[in-house]
Amino acid sequence: GYREVIRLAFTSPDVVRRFGYPDGRAEAVRIANPLGEDGSVLPTSLLPGLVESARLHLNHGATSVRLFQAARVHRRAGGRWPYREIDCVAAVAAGPRGLGPFPESAAKLDFYDLKGTLEILAERLGMKGVAFRPAAGLQYAEVGHCG
């Protein structure tokens, strides 16, 4: 039930800063000759773009949103290359769990719905040893609701 989001490869430094990552992801890699400030850095995470896409869908009348993106992010690195590319997958979901006459269909999606989706995906891809751990120090996430 998830729909794929395909976004531009560049983003705004303000978007990266707004998420306030504590682990160095806030220091984005600037491109040499951007067309404008809104597309002047390489994304350090997929979440800001996904959250923005979900917000737009909800503001335009969607009652439920399930989005994912598979793309590369760019992080600062030392040595010969100024950054490294990392293949990532991220997802966001909001709204009721399902549609229909049953009471559980009106329940809101939560962290455990996303976690379950990721567990099923990992199992189907044959990934072993996938573990979830709490994420700390993220301004955009509620304590205990992010992993």
Side-chain angles (χ1 to χ4, degrees), residues 67-139:
L67 304 172
F68 80 94
Q69 184 178 8
R72 287 191 173 137
V73 298
H74 304 80
R75 305 268 172 81
R76 287 269 177 207
R80 183 174 171 200
W81 302 104
Y83 68 89
R84 60 189 169 112
E85 294 179 340
I86 303 166
D87 292 322
C88 289
V89 175
V92 296
R97 240 181 221 131
L99 303 172
F102 303 106
E104 63 272 10
S105 65
K108 298 285 184 197
L109 290 163
D110 62 18
F111 168 80
Y112 297 102
D113 292 301
L114 278 168
K115 182 179 181 228
T117 299
L118 292 173
E119 288 170 336
I120 290 168
L121 179 63
E123 179 184 318
R124 289 190 180 164
L125 291 173
M127 297 170 67
K128 305 285 185 206
V130 174
F132 295 87
R133 62 182 188 279
L138 300 176
Q139 295 180 118

Side-chain angles (χ1 to χ4, degrees), residues 40-63:
S40 63
V41 297
L42 297 171
T44 59
S45 171
L46 300 178
L47 283 177
L50 280 174
V51 169
E52 177 65 12
S53 294
R55 185 187 68 78
L56 289 171
H57 279 78
L58 293 169
N59 285 348
H60 284 92
T63 57

